[in-house]
Amino acid sequence: MPADQDVLNGINGTLIDGSPRPWAWVRVRARTVFGNLQKNKPFTRTVDGRPVASSTSQLDHDIGTSEQVSWRYVASNGMVFDLKDFVLLQIEHFIASTDEATLDAYVERARQLRPYPVGFPGDVPGT
């Protein structure tokens, strides 16, 4: 197979015949709004008869990895945090310290997908 086709198959997460690489399922996400992952599951694939938010695409894997392991922090109490750990703690703290009406207002604002700023280098048409 030509190298360019091999690279394209890796980016798409497919084998030579176009089927998904069976060993390459990774849970990743797409740009979305609050609560959308629970309903629409970007990158959804059917595994054992049920939808799973995952992808076989090497490109999706790379993006997910960069988000998850971009840094580690050793806190003053010796605990090691990565971005996901910290965000989970922040979510729980935020819920516990925010009254319900304010929380509802924040959730409503987070449900809106806003356009990228004009000239933003990462802008992808249609996203």
Side-chain angles (χ1 to χ4, degrees), residues 42-104:
F43 303 130
T44 295
R45 306 291 190 265
T46 301
V47 179
D48 296 328
R50 58 191 181 92
V52 175
S54 61
S55 174
T56 60
S57 166
Q58 185 62 50
L59 181 61
D60 296 341
H61 294 184
D62 293 345
I63 292 167
T65 299
S66 68
E67 290 177 345
Q68 295 169 15
V69 298
S70 58
W71 57 271
R72 295 280 191 271
Y73 179 73
V74 180
S76 58
N77 64 359
M79 291 182 68
V80 179
F81 292 88
D82 65 9
L83 182 60
K84 178 184 171 221
D85 290 341
F86 181 72
V87 169
L88 292 175
L89 291 175
Q90 286 297 102
I91 289 169
E92 293 302 325
H93 174 72
F94 175 73
I95 290 170
S97 62
T98 306
D99 67 87
E100 191 171 343
T102 302
L103 184 60
D104 289 344

Side-chain angles (χ1 to χ4, degrees), residues 10 13-14 20-28 54-58 61:
T14 56
R21 298 181 298 169
W23 66 90
W25 295 103
V26 173
R27 290 184 62 87
V28 293
S54 61
S55 174
T56 60
S57 166
Q58 185 62 50
H61 294 184

Side-chain angles (χ1 to χ4, degrees), residues 5-6 8-21 56-57:
Q5 185 63 47
D6 194 37
L8 182 61
N9 286 347
I11 290 171
N12 291 331
T14 56
L15 298 171
I16 294 170
D17 67 0
S19 63
R21 298 181 298 169
T56 60
S57 166

